[in-house]
Amino acid sequence: SLVISKGIEQLAVRDFKGRSLDEAMNELNEAGFEVDVKYAFSEDPPRGAVISQTPSGGEIDKGATVTLLVSKGPEFITIRRGAIIGAKVAEVESYLNSVGLEVKFDTNGKKLQEEMVAISSAPKEGSKVKSGSKVTVTVRLPAKSGAGR
């Protein structure tokens, strides 16, 4: 008796453009695909989202490699005006991390406290900086309201 192989099983792969890397990785690995991830600067989609993939969809061999190109965010970031000065430590850290920047707090030798607010930054708000740059934010405890009256 003659047995004819149907060949390697073909599986549908969907297009993950614009979706998160985690979502794409989980779904592709679950379906039995290998995943190769490459990164590039891109303003759209945002950091961590898939810019493109190869192959971009259709049916491919089970176990084949799908290459995902994932956004590192924009190469240059403009520090948004009003995002740092007057904001508390956690807000400053959250904003800077969300746009792909590192933060270093300058407390003038005092212990860093959550209620401290930003009084200046270097580089300043409105500056254009390279993704991954460090922003030094000077913080202090807010003045007590009604002090000295």
Side-chain angles (χ1 to χ4, degrees), residues 25-40:
M25 290 279 295
N26 289 339
E27 201 168 308
L28 289 166
N29 286 329
E30 236 173 66
F33 296 110
E34 295 293 319
V35 182
D36 181 30
V37 180
K38 296 186 181 333
Y39 293 90

Side-chain angles (χ1 to χ4, degrees), residues 2-147:
L2 181 63
V3 177
I4 299 174
S5 170
K6 292 180 182 177
I8 297 173
E9 183 181 358
Q10 295 283 295
L11 297 174
V13 62
R14 70 186 189 113
D15 190 353
F16 289 96
K17 187 175 178 180
R19 301 205 180 267
S20 76
L21 172 61
D22 288 344
E23 180 184 349
M25 290 279 295
N26 289 339
E27 201 168 308
L28 289 166
N29 286 329
E30 236 173 66
F33 296 110
E34 295 293 319
V35 182
D36 181 30
V37 180
K38 296 186 181 333
Y39 293 90
F41 290 111
S42 172
E43 289 190 27
D44 187 40
R47 189 168 72 154
V50 176
I51 298 168
S52 65
Q53 75 185 52
T54 307
S56 60
E59 299 222 333
I60 60 172
D61 294 347
K62 181 176 184 173
T65 299
V66 175
T67 302
L68 300 174
L69 183 61
V70 177
S71 174
K72 292 199 286 188
E75 186 169 9
F76 289 94
I77 295 154
T78 300
I79 300 171
R80 194 176 74 233
R81 292 186 189 281
I84 298 175
I85 307 306
K88 289 189 175 178
V89 169
E91 295 165 332
V92 170
E93 191 165 35
S94 174
Y95 167 70
L96 290 173
N97 289 334
S98 76
V99 298
L101 298 173
E102 292 183 34
V103 63
K104 176 181 184 281
F105 289 106
D106 176 359
T107 60
N108 252 345
K110 295 186 171 54
K111 184 175 180 277
L112 184 64
Q113 297 175 51
E114 282 300 313
E115 60 271 14
M116 288 181 160
V117 293
I119 58 170
S120 69
S121 71
K124 296 183 181 322
E125 292 177 329
S127 300
K128 198 169 200 162
V129 296
K130 201 164 182 60
S131 183
S133 296
K134 185 174 285 178
V135 178
T136 301
V137 179
T138 303
V139 293
R140 69 167 187 219
L141 285 170
K144 301 262 189 272
S145 58

